[in-house]
Amino acid sequence: MKNVLEFLGFIALVQGVMGLVQEFTDWDGGLVSRIAFLDDYGIFASVTLLVLACALFAAAESRKSR
């Protein structure tokens, strides 16, 4: 379970960073730019993904590994 949380956290981190880069540089990439209802909320969605990534890493760290 710890590995799954770390993997999901990494994916959320990468997508959040790519969304912010896309918003500030008009570079086309990332998941946030491809979702139609997030067109006007790209920065907020990217920051939310970064916060989610931090929460997933914290949850993974709190899990005991066997």
Side-chain angles (χ1 to χ4, degrees), residues 30-59:
L31 183 66
V32 175
S33 66
R34 305 213 191 293
I35 300 176
F37 66 87
L38 293 177
D39 281 343
D40 296 334
Y41 303 105
I43 294 174
F44 300 115
S46 298
V47 170
T48 302
L49 280 170
L50 292 174
V51 170
L52 176 66
C54 292
L56 286 169
F57 286 138

Side-chain angles (χ1 to χ4, degrees), residues 2 63-66:
K2 182 177 179 177
R63 305 281 298 180
K64 293 180 182 176
S65 64
R66 294 181 181 180

Side-chain angles (χ1 to χ4, degrees), residues 4-62:
V4 172
L5 290 173
E6 288 175 345
F7 176 73
L8 292 175
F10 177 74
I11 296 297
L13 179 71
V14 168
Q15 291 300 318
V17 169
M18 287 178 71
L20 286 176
V21 167
Q22 189 266 332
E23 285 293 323
F24 291 118
T25 63
D26 290 333
W27 181 62
D28 191 26
L31 183 66
V32 175
S33 66
R34 305 213 191 293
I35 300 176
F37 66 87
L38 293 177
D39 281 343
D40 296 334
Y41 303 105
I43 294 174
F44 300 115
S46 298
V47 170
T48 302
L49 280 170
L50 292 174
V51 170
L52 176 66
C54 292
L56 286 169
F57 286 138
E61 197 62 32
S62 70

